[in-house]
Amino acid sequence: MITPTKGIAPQRALLTVGAQVLLATEGRPVTVSQAWRRFQEWRAEHKHNAPIPFWWFVLGLDVLYALGVVELRNEILVFRERSDAS
Amino acid sequence: MLRELGAGDERFRTVRFTEGLNLLIADRTAASTEQESRNAVGKTSAAELLQFLLGADQTKLTRNSSIKSMGFHLDLDWPGIGDTLRVRRSGAKPGYVFLTPDITGTSAVDPTLFRVDRAGTTVPISDWRSELERSLFGIRAEDSGLSGRTLISFYIRRAEAGGFSDALRPNTKVSRHVATANLCYLLGMDWALAKRYNDVSEKDQTRKKLAGAAKDNPTLGKIVGSSAKLRGRIQAVDERISGLERQIEGFQVVPEYEEIRREADQVDARIRELRSSEVVDRRNLEDMERAVTEATEPDDAYLEGAYSELGVVLGREVRARFDQVKEFHQAVVRNRRHYLDEEIDRLRRQLQESERERGRLGDRQAELLRILHDGGALDTLTMMQRVLAKEVAEREALQHRAEAAEALEQSRREITQEKLQLEGDMAADIAERRKLVQQASSLFTRFARRLYGNDRNPYLNFEAKRSSLDIVLQLDSDSSSGISNMKTFCFDLTWAVVAHRAGRGPDFLVHDSKIYDGVDERQVKEALSLAAEVMAEEGMQYIVTINSDDLDKAVRLGFDPAPYEIAPRLNDRPEGGLFGFRF
């Protein structure tokens, strides 16, 4: 799930999805809907044709959150540099 | 009486006339060929000069350069002056005659108009003609239809004008009806009635020409067609006109027609725009609604699985506790739900708004279209009125043409009617003047029997026909030229005597030698004897130019020309002709 497996194509692995969200939004603060839209556009541009449902995308965000890369402030997704301070 | 024919050139051989029978004889010398046959002798010229001096138009003779400047004169008895009148005229100035003495002083002509000298007066030819009409024939100015010139052409027939081809016409130029009317005057019939044949005939000719032209000539045919066809066309135009009038009457002018049309166009465009944006909105709405359900689809099992796997894969990297992650997850989903719901609401509201607006616009559009349909722009109205005006003008033109066509058809009926009426009037008039007709006829019978014997039954009669008054000269003989010439002779003698007795005509009659062409000797002899007799009885003058060989026919049968021969005796030698020289 996090990494590609036999059942999960590399482009659908949650780490990949998270990375793609980061690339699609260019790390700027955006709304969830914007993040979702840009992520889809990015995938279409890069010929990642495997369909990704919204909830899988949210899991990708969850991974990023768990890793401390994004948080939700006032309904806005804010990406940040990872601080090694735990 | 005619007294003297002369010229201001001493070579000209003056002709002196006497009372009764005058023979102006032309000899043929042995030297002359048949070809020359007295061409230049001047028999014909004599008659021509008499005509010229009595007001005829110029002829080739008087225009001839050799004699153009020659002044000719004629002496004739003139009523009221107890003396002869001398009339002078020349081919050089044919528009005037010179009269001695000045008779115009006693006439209605204003003497101050003319250059009077001691010898006489210069008078325009038209006045001279009027004088002749008045004095010789007693024609009054108001007697239109009678012509002194036509009458004189009967008294002095000219062969080269066709004067001997038809006893009833003085020359080929004069119409039958006009000639008949003038003869009626001489014979004491109702000439005005006779002249009406000419009027009707002219009307008929005009009508026929017009009708013929209308048939043949497409342009004229356009101007005048058949009235029935035109009526049909008028009906068609009428229908168009009433249709237009109804339209115009019910026409409501919408002052801002153009603006309204623009608005209707805008409304229409807006409605389309709304429709297409609604389509997009609906699709979006469906997407959103699907997205709402999608977002709730996975359960936390996934999240948990993912988190634990994350711990396995990147254990040391995981910064958030599971419950934090879960909270984040729910917040995101909630946020997304919230956002989607709002979006869905917004879209629904927008769709509702759009539909409402579309409804409103639809109503407005319907209203605008109704206005546009019921009414119209001022431009449209003026255009309709222009078309109407054109149609009305067209109808008027057609109306005029129909009237003309009807007049044409009408006048045909009218002319037929008039002819019938005239025929009746004329027949009645002839019947009432039976006595006069009888007198003329008995003269004619007497003359003709004298020439052709008593076994014949010649007569003169008037027959009223529908299109003409016919003067019938019955001589029951073949129609050789000799016979027809003698018929002319008898007829001329008849009307000359009748007219002279009644004071409607002069006392002279002139015949060209042509009248004795091809006439048998017995008739030549009898005609000359008869003429001499009748002239003596009536106190008249008969002047005839005659070839010596024709005269010899009569002489052989015992006619003595000596008492009747007048000077000069013409011949075909160069100096022997009337003019005394060849030209």
Side-chain angles (χ1 to χ4, degrees):
Chain A
M1 234 195 294
I2 304 295
T3 50
T5 61
K6 194 172 61 167
I8 307 246
Q11 51 159 296
R12 287 188 71 234
L14 290 179
L15 267 181
T16 317
V17 169
Q20 287 174 352
V21 171
L22 276 173
L23 287 167
T25 58
E26 294 169 345
R28 291 199 191 101
V30 288
T31 61
V32 176
S33 291
Q34 276 301 313
W36 168 233
R37 184 168 305 164
R38 289 183 194 192
F39 164 75
Q40 283 179 306
E41 282 170 10
W42 188 95
R43 284 181 61 82
E45 268 172 45
H46 294 82
K47 309 268 188 298
H48 293 190
N49 296 326
I52 303 259
F54 182 72
W55 59 269
W56 192 258
F57 158 80
V58 178
L59 284 180
L61 282 181
D62 291 342
V63 168
L64 291 181
Y65 174 79
L67 295 176
V69 178
V70 74
E71 55 184 330
L72 199 61
R73 288 190 204 157
N74 302 322
E75 316 288 302
I76 306 283
L77 291 171
V78 180
F79 301 94
R80 50 179 191 173
E81 294 297 312
R82 261 174 46 115
S83 65
D84 282 309
S86 45
Chain B
M1 299 277 175
L2 303 181
R3 297 296 176 183
E4 183 179 298
L5 171 65
D9 183 307
E10 69 256 11
R11 289 173 297 176
F12 187 90
R13 304 177 69 195
T14 305
V15 186
R16 293 193 176 80
F17 305 106
T18 60
E19 300 186 2
L21 174 62
N22 287 248
L23 297 172
L24 182 59
I25 302 165
D27 283 318
R28 181 193 258 178
T29 59
S32 70
T33 63
E34 189 62 38
Q35 199 70 59
E36 286 175 346
S37 79
R38 295 172 292 257
N39 265 353
V41 170
K43 287 191 311 336
T44 303
S45 301
E48 215 165 311
L49 288 176
L50 288 175
Q51 277 275 25
F52 181 63
L53 287 157
L54 293 174
D57 288 336
Q58 286 255 70
T59 60
K60 227 165 88 178
L61 176 70
T62 54
R63 282 201 200 93
N64 186 298
S65 55
S66 314
I67 60 165
K68 192 174 171 179
S69 53
M70 213 185 273
F72 299 100
H73 72 257
L74 172 66
D75 294 349
L76 68 161
D77 293 349
W78 198 257
I81 59 169
D83 194 1
T84 57
L85 169 72
R86 173 163 286 198
V87 51
R88 292 191 184 84
R89 192 182 181 195
S90 85
K93 258 186 86 177
Y96 296 90
V97 294
F98 190 78
L99 299 178
T100 319
D102 174 14
I103 52 155
T104 58
T106 61
S107 75
V109 181
D110 179 358
T112 59
L113 287 175
F114 309 112
R115 184 179 57 78
V116 180
D117 71 2
R118 57 188 170 78
T121 179
T122 303
V123 177
I125 195 70
S126 55
D127 290 354
W128 173 228
R129 287 173 183 165
S130 310
E131 284 290 341
L132 286 164
E133 281 187 348
R134 237 164 25 87
S135 300
L136 295 185
F137 304 102
I139 296 173
R140 299 160 309 161
E142 61 265 36
D143 294 336
S144 76
L146 293 181
S147 149
R149 285 300 322 145
T150 304
L151 290 166
I152 289 172
S153 299
F154 272 118
Y155 278 88
I156 309 174
R157 289 181 188 263
R158 285 177 45 224
E160 64 277 21
F164 293 100
S165 55
D166 183 350
L168 300 167
R169 282 164 76 193
N171 58 54
T172 46
K173 275 199 207 118
V174 175
S175 93
R176 182 86 197 226
H177 299 295
V178 171
T180 303
N182 280 282
L183 282 172
C184 281
Y185 177 73
L186 293 175
L187 289 163
M189 303 302 285
D190 191 335
W191 63 268
L193 211 47
K195 189 191 162 272
R196 267 176 44 196
Y197 278 107
N198 190 54
D199 303 343
V200 175
S201 155
E202 273 175 7
K203 248 193 244 177
D204 206 12
Q205 288 300 321
T206 308
R207 190 199 63 74
K208 277 189 183 132
K209 273 197 195 110
L210 197 57
K215 212 176 293 169
D216 302 339
N217 177 330
T219 325
L220 233 163
K222 269 185 207 153
I223 297 165
V224 185
S226 87
S227 65
K229 262 187 203 154
L230 287 165
R231 288 284 164 217
R233 284 181 58 188
I234 288 171
Q235 214 166 0
V237 176
D238 270 340
E239 276 166 28
R240 283 207 297 275
I241 286 174
S242 59
L244 271 169
E245 277 172 344
R246 268 201 306 278
Q247 262 183 295
I248 288 171
E249 206 177 317
F251 192 88
Q252 292 172 322
V253 179
V254 180
E256 288 84 25
Y257 190 87
E258 282 309 310
E259 281 82 342
I260 289 174
R261 224 187 46 204
R262 255 199 302 282
E263 192 192 342
D265 288 348
Q266 282 165 355
V267 167
D268 184 56
R270 178 78 185 130
I271 288 173
R272 283 163 197 276
E273 200 181 308
L274 286 172
R275 278 218 184 91
S276 58
S277 73
E278 275 174 36
V279 170
V280 174
D281 285 351
R282 275 207 193 82
R283 205 182 19 243
N284 285 346
L285 185 61
E286 279 167 24
D287 286 351
M288 303 268 175
E289 281 168 343
R290 229 195 348 270
V292 169
T293 53
E294 262 180 11
T296 57
E297 195 185 308
D299 50 17
D300 295 345
Y302 271 105
L303 185 56
E304 234 171 306
Y307 187 78
S308 54
E309 193 177 322
L310 193 61
V312 172
V313 179
L314 297 164
R316 292 173 49 221
E317 298 298 326
V318 176
R319 294 277 194 273
R321 293 189 313 274
F322 177 70
D323 55 331
Q324 286 176 310
V325 173
K326 196 174 171 180
E327 203 177 314
F328 170 81
H329 176 91
Q330 280 165 347
V332 167
V333 170
R334 207 176 33 248
N335 170 285
R336 165 77 175 161
R337 274 290 295 261
H338 182 68
Y339 163 77
L340 286 175
D341 284 347
E342 266 186 12
E343 196 64 7
I344 284 167
D345 268 2
R346 195 185 61 79
L347 278 175
R348 282 195 178 135
R349 267 203 312 280
Q350 194 170 300
L351 276 168
Q352 275 170 358
E353 185 53 41
S354 174
E355 277 165 13
R356 257 206 307 281
E357 193 184 349
R358 263 199 314 118
R360 244 181 345 95
L361 286 172
D363 290 349
R364 177 68 180 151
Q365 192 186 30
E367 189 187 349
L368 291 175
L369 289 176
R370 203 172 44 249
I371 292 170
L372 291 179
H373 178 75
D374 290 348
L378 197 56
D379 285 357
T380 313
L381 181 64
T382 31
M383 196 191 73
M384 272 159 62
Q385 278 165 338
R386 257 209 307 278
V387 172
L388 177 68
K390 218 178 76 182
E391 294 282 15
V392 168
E394 164 85 344
R395 177 174 61 183
E396 216 160 287
L398 285 171
Q399 204 91 43
H400 283 311
R401 281 169 49 191
E403 276 160 21
E406 267 166 15
L408 209 64
E409 288 157 23
Q410 180 75 33
S411 69
R412 182 156 108 208
R413 283 195 292 276
E414 274 172 12
I415 286 167
T416 309
Q417 193 62 43
E418 210 172 322
K419 281 181 176 173
L420 281 167
Q421 177 75 39
L422 183 53
E423 188 185 2
D425 288 357
M426 196 80 233
D429 195 76
I430 291 166
E432 282 163 28
R433 293 179 193 243
R434 190 45 49 197
K435 264 211 170 96
L436 277 173
V437 177
Q438 222 110 52
Q439 282 168 15
S441 185
S442 66
L443 274 176
F444 181 79
T445 306
R446 173 191 152 193
F447 299 156
R449 278 190 174 158
R450 175 71 178 272
L451 266 54
Y452 290 100
N454 289 335
D455 53 336
R456 292 169 187 259
N457 190 22
Y459 63 87
L460 179 156
N461 200 9
F462 294 89
E463 276 181 19
K465 296 245 178 73
R466 189 163 305 178
S467 309
S468 66
L469 167 63
D470 289 356
I471 299 174
V472 181
L473 304 174
Q474 188 59 40
L475 206 58
D476 47 82
S477 288
D478 59 29
S479 55
S480 74
S481 72
I483 296 278
S484 86
N485 280 349
M486 283 302 99
K487 192 194 274 187
T488 302
F489 170 85
C490 294
F491 181 58
D492 284 1
L493 220 52
T494 303
W495 53 251
V497 167
V498 170
H500 180 247
R501 282 180 185 172
R504 280 190 302 265
D507 51 6
F508 58 84
L509 174 65
V510 181
H511 273 159
D512 187 283
S513 61
K514 180 101 170 84
I515 201 160
Y516 294 103
D517 277 5
V519 177
D520 293 344
E521 51 192 9
R522 191 184 107 104
Q523 274 76 45
V524 177
K525 184 235 171 196
E526 291 303 340
L528 293 174
S529 315
L530 175 67
E533 231 169 81
V534 172
M535 292 306 122
E537 281 169 20
E538 303 289 334
M540 290 173 72
Q541 179 184 41
Y542 178 64
I543 298 162
V544 61
T545 57
I546 191 158
N547 293 324
S548 50
D549 47 1
D550 279 329
L551 184 61
D552 288 344
K553 290 180 190 172
V555 172
R556 273 198 297 277
L557 291 176
F559 176 76
D560 178 15
Y564 311 113
E565 187 179 336
I566 57 167
R569 191 171 175 117
L570 306 172
N571 62 53
D572 49 8
R573 283 193 294 273
E575 69 287 355
L578 182 65
F579 292 90
F581 65 97
R582 282 284 164 90
F583 53 88

